[in-house]
Amino acid sequence: MCGITGYIGDHKTTDVLIDGLRRLEYRGYDSCGVAVVDAKNELYLRRVSGRVDALDELVAQDPAKGANVGVGHTRWATHGAPSEDNAHPHTDCSGRVVVVHNGIIENYLDLKEKLLASGHKFKSETDTEVIAHLMEEKLKALHVQEKAMRADMLEPVFFEAFRKTVGDLKGSFALSMVWASCPAMVLTARMHSPLVVGLGKGENFIASDVSAFLKYTKRVIFLNDGEMAAVKKDGIDFYTFQGKKVSKEAVTIQWDSTMAEKGGYKHFMLKEIHEQSEAVENTLRGRLLPLGGDVLKAETGLAAAAMKGFSNIQFIACGTAYHAGLVGRGLFENFGLRASADIASEFTDRAKLMAKDTLVIAISQSGETADTLFAVREARSAGAKVLAITNTVGSTLTREADYVLQTHCGPEIGVASTKAFLGQLAAIYLVAGHFAAARGVLSATDARRYAEDLLKMPRLIEETLELEKDIAKVAEAFSHSEHFLFISRHINFPIALEGALKIKEISYVHAEGYAAGEMKHGPIAIIYKGMPLLAVAPSGRALELMAGNIEEAKARGADVVAIVDAVSRKTVKASRYITLPQAGELFTPMLTVIPLQIFAYYVALAKKCDIDKPRNLAKSVTVR
Ligand code: M6R
């Protein structure tokens, strides 16, 4: 995970780097740092164990003078505890080569052993530091007379040493490097970790994600695996790791930087919860009608005729995106179409069983989740086609999949995923509807009703959001509980899992999501008097059984909050109700999840947790 930034230009370099880090903090936030080359060609390096605000304060106390090139980093620890020593940037022994890195250098122990034997002194426990020392070795091997040469004459040397360094690395990396002796160029390289450059006028940017520099430019170029770039003030050249020059096209990003700001909300999570109606509407717009026609073909490459050729649907994803996949499985099965859903990190053996008639649907907000990408590669090499559902234009997933369906949720900053989940559901309902209609499973009348029901969802989501104050009161009543149960059945079972995940990740309490029918096979034993149990029980075929399961839990002391609609409320007996607008049975997950997101938010707020940046987590999980 981790976020990297790089800059060369005339703006105040530390400000650009730190501002970028703030926007990348969602990728990791246990420590951070910046390094710039100052007017005297000396390295200015500042690092802190903690958040970007602390780094900003430290830099403000003793600012860098005259710097116009540098790199920055916000870390999610893998090798070495979160501490100032392990924070990036890392330097070589001379203190003039400086590197920031996102990913894992798998052969770092081997490299480190050799470097130690050659006399290098290490200052951290990280895998990253080997890169700086390796670079020092490569520079030494090129017999550079650093002091006797003009900085511009050092550029080819810097480039060649960097290229050789990168060639020795195994694993995943997006890295950027500055050499104080050659301050007119930043070098950057990518292998299995996201990396993008931003094109400015007389200035250029490097980052893990475009949000870091959108404020300055929307023209960007994404690097592919095995590519590196020499970034100067007036231009960027791209190369393969073998040193062959490549030409690359710039794309313009549609997001603007204000979309990644809180807009008056206390937390990004709450803002994003309130953007869910828009996320669904934007994701559905222009893609639904005629259901079963070729409306997705131009955009995604997936034609209705191709839909007829797949006899299996396989969802793969992680975390919240996996829960969306579980809803998708239920939806496809409801249409009599064979479907499975797997956690990407547990897919390895099953991937080998994928065949040509399987459409793998890989869901990922970031499009950079390492487990999901690995599963996609395995499935494709076994012969399956892959449809990516992602919120991130230009992400690795979009480049590796056969078909791409972009969700239009806007940037999601809160680590706890909310609007991206609704966007994923909208995309899945779209695809499932098109499949069912294309394959003749839905009659013309049913297809019309399905489309009408789906198009009502943005409005019903708005109505559900109006319940925020009532839900907040219920949450406050339970904010001292340390254990929570979430149960449901059928198409809402994944919502019970999602409710439990939301509260766990932002409130640090113990929560279990269970299939209601499974409770009596063991988990019911954990119920004690007063234990909060959130039962997702909208109208539909599972209602009678759900009502029974709720009675069983109550009989053992559970304090039940029922998520119902006006019709199901008559059947369910609970101590508290959250009553949602009436939706078509299949579409209820798009509503039932919302009170659980809001519930989790207000429990976390009462517990004074760091809602947008929960402990131990990062938004993009780019390591396996
Ligand atoms: O970017 P992705 O959708 O691939 O991320 C997958 C999970 O890491 C993500 O959904 C995670 O579970 C969220 N923090 C949940 O809120």
Side-chain angles (χ1 to χ4, degrees), residues 167-189:
D168 282 359
L169 305 177
K170 292 201 174 72
S172 58
F173 49 86
L175 54 94
S176 287
M177 187 180 279
V178 164
W179 184 26
S181 303
C182 185
M185 182 164 85
V186 190
L187 294 174
T188 191

Side-chain angles (χ1 to χ4, degrees), residues 318-321 363-366 369 415-417 424 501-502 505 621:
C318 302
T320 288
I363 312 168
S364 173
Q365 189 285 129
S366 61
T369 299
V415 165
S417 188
Q424 289 159 356
L501 175 61
K502 279 297 82 96
E505 65 180 333
V621 185

Side-chain angles (χ1 to χ4, degrees), residues 68 602 615:
N68 68 0
Y602 280 100
R615 72 182 182 202

